[in-house]
């Protein structure tokens, strides 16, 4: 699910800063072991900068991927 517009000002014009394909999702707790750390799901981090307001955001951010427990 890509975010097509700036979450700050809703402008749909942005430009790419950098894209990483396999980044572990930041979590609130540390994995209990190296094995658990290596088994963490990998996600896309696609940084974009809004041409209207300058806000930098991850256009691939998905709240459904965040598991709070």
């Amino acid at each position: 699910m890509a975010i097509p517009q700036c979450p700050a000002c809703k402008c749909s014009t942005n430009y790419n800063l950098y894209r990483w394909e396999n980044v572990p999702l930041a979590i609130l707790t540390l994995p209990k072991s190296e094995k658990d750390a290596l088994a963490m799901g990998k996600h896309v981090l696609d940084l974009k900068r809004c041409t209207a307001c300058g806000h930098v955001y991850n256009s691939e951010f998905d709240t459904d991927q965040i598991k709070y427990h």
Side-chain angles (χ1 to χ4, degrees):
M1 168 185 96
I3 300 172
Q5 56 186 250
C6 174
C9 74
K10 306 302 182 209
C11 177
S12 60
T13 308
N14 57 53
Y15 62 88
N16 297 324
L17 292 176
Y18 201 82
R19 181 180 176 97
W20 293 269
E21 292 294 329
N22 293 303
V23 178
L25 183 66
I27 56 173
L28 298 174
T29 60
L30 294 174
K32 295 184 189 290
S33 68
E34 180 181 5
K35 181 181 175 185
D36 289 345
L38 293 171
M40 290 177 66
K42 305 289 191 292
H43 304 275
V44 175
L45 179 59
D46 189 14
L47 295 181
K48 302 209 183 279
R49 184 176 186 270
C50 177
T51 57
C53 72
H55 181 71
V56 175
Y57 63 99
N58 177 12
S59 68
E60 295 292 329
F61 180 75
D62 182 2
T63 55
D64 291 337
Q65 297 298 322
I66 302 171
K67 295 178 178 41
Y68 291 105
H69 46 257

